[in-house]
Amino acid sequence: ICPLAPARWPRRNDRLRPRELIRRAKTLAAMFGGAAPSRSPTPRSPPAPTGPWEYGPMRQVPEAHAEPDGIVCALSGFVRSESMDICNDPRFFTGNVLDKRMAAFSGLSVCATLFTGNALSECMGMKKDWDLMTVDGLFQFFGFLLMNVVLFSNMLASYVSVAQTYFTYRLMTAGPTGFEIASSFYLNSNIAFWRHAAVKQMLVSLPVFLLGSAFRIFVRIDQEMPGASTATTTPAAPGPGRDSHLGISRVAMITFVLWFAMAVLLFYVNAKHQAVFKERYALAKDVERPLLSHVKMLSERGHSPEF
């Protein structure tokens, strides 16, 4: 009996399975002493172009601007020229709880920016020749202090809202574990503290801004009403707020120290946000790399040919 004889002869519409064809081909090869045919066809070279509308092999174009130039290399210590990984994960296009929170938190930056501009214009625009021995001078001084409080509060709120929104979305699109990386950054105690402080200061600055404007409008109305006193102070002798030795106003010195301290605080907040961002990203990538390598190895093993 022939080993290739089937149990019944195939009919016209019957189709043999690929494994059955391979088994019969191996049996024929063993009977006649030949090698079993390979499943992969013999690679053929692409045909040569026969007309002007056909293209030949692709020519490699030299990349003249692939490497950073001299200016980028010189300034690489201040600004990085490498970006984070780009992964087109379909989960990025679906909403999550961080999207909702960032959408609510990003509205804070709009209000904080508007109040920062208004408070800065009020501090720069008001007259500084007040006399602290009069009611108008005291009210001007109190209004100036309250506008500085509004300025500092909203300046901090503006930075925190912009920086945390930027860093959170940047980590969220960093890879397959982007949501977990962004969550670890969002829930960090340092980040949460400055976020809560920014929200609280921005909300408190609203009534403070109104109170400072009340002091300012009182002085404006009192000086511009008909019958107001038009006497001016003569700056011949040093006033109570000016140092007779240095010739510098004490109020100016105090204002400079306060603004300088606020600038130092913003530098510290910026450095803390960047440090937490880099730490979270490096830690998440160290945990993610072995997992992705293992998944890649399993996927390659699943594509191995089997008969």
Side-chain angles (χ1 to χ4, degrees), residues 17 55 69 87 114 132 148 154 161 200 245 252 255 261 288:
R17 296 182 179 180
Y55 296 93
D69 55 7
C87 181
L114 294 176
L132 299 181
N148 277 273
N154 287 276
S161 59
K200 182 176 294 186
H245 299 284
T255 304
E288 173 189 325

Side-chain angles (χ1 to χ4, degrees), residues 18-266:
R19 292 189 178 181
E20 183 67 16
L21 292 175
I22 295 173
R23 186 186 67 80
R24 296 188 181 186
K26 287 183 177 181
T27 306
L28 288 175
M31 291 175 59
F32 295 98
S38 177
R39 294 185 61 184
S40 59
T42 304
R44 298 180 180 179
S45 58
T50 58
W53 57 85
E54 296 186 5
Y55 296 93
M58 182 177 295
R59 183 180 59 182
Q60 185 176 4
V61 180
E63 298 181 4
H65 303 282
E67 299 297 330
D69 55 7
I71 298 178
V72 175
C73 293
L75 300 178
S76 60
F78 301 95
V79 181
R80 296 186 299 109
S81 59
E82 296 85 9
S83 182
M84 297 174 57
D85 298 337
I86 297 179
C87 181
N88 192 20
D89 198 314
R91 293 180 298 174
F92 299 157
F93 303 99
T94 59
N96 51 59
V97 64
L98 277 181
D99 285 332
K100 304 298 186 298
R101 295 193 179 187
M102 287 296 104
F105 190 61
S106 60
L108 175 68
S109 61
V110 179
C111 299
T113 304
L114 294 176
F115 276 100
T116 298
N118 290 331
L120 185 60
S121 62
E122 290 290 336
C123 291
M124 294 296 182
M126 68 173 55
K127 295 181 179 180
K128 311 301 187 299
D129 56 347
W130 54 73
D131 186 4
L132 299 181
M133 304 304 295
T134 62
V135 177
D136 288 351
L138 287 175
F139 275 37
Q140 281 183 332
F141 180 71
F142 289 147
F144 179 74
L145 289 181
L146 293 177
M147 287 301 169
N148 277 273
V149 172
V150 175
L151 175 64
F152 296 158
S153 300
N154 287 276
M155 186 71 72
L156 179 63
S158 299
Y159 172 79
V160 172
S161 59
V162 172
Q164 291 199 10
T165 303
Y166 169 71
F167 286 141
T168 301
Y169 280 119
R170 194 177 179 188
L171 290 173
M172 193 182 302
T173 58
T177 59
F179 178 79
E180 287 74 16
I181 304 176
S183 299
S184 64
F185 174 83
Y186 182 86
L187 298 176
N188 185 270
S189 58
N190 297 287
I191 303 302
F193 171 80
W194 290 114
R195 182 172 61 253
H196 296 162
V199 174
K200 182 176 294 186
Q201 290 184 7
M202 189 268 168
L203 296 178
V204 171
S205 67
L206 297 177
V208 175
F209 181 80
L210 186 60
L211 183 60
S213 299
F215 284 107
R216 294 273 294 129
I217 198 66
F218 174 85
V219 177
R220 181 68 61 85
I221 294 175
D222 185 62
Q223 292 179 354
E224 295 180 358
M225 284 294 290
S229 176
T230 58
T232 57
T233 58
T234 57
R242 183 174 294 275
D243 192 351
S244 59
H245 299 284
L246 301 177
I248 302 175
S249 174
R250 296 187 181 95
V251 178
M253 295 176 61
I254 295 174
T255 304
F256 172 78
V257 171
L258 291 177
W259 285 46
F260 187 83
M262 187 61 193
V264 173
L265 178 62
L266 286 180

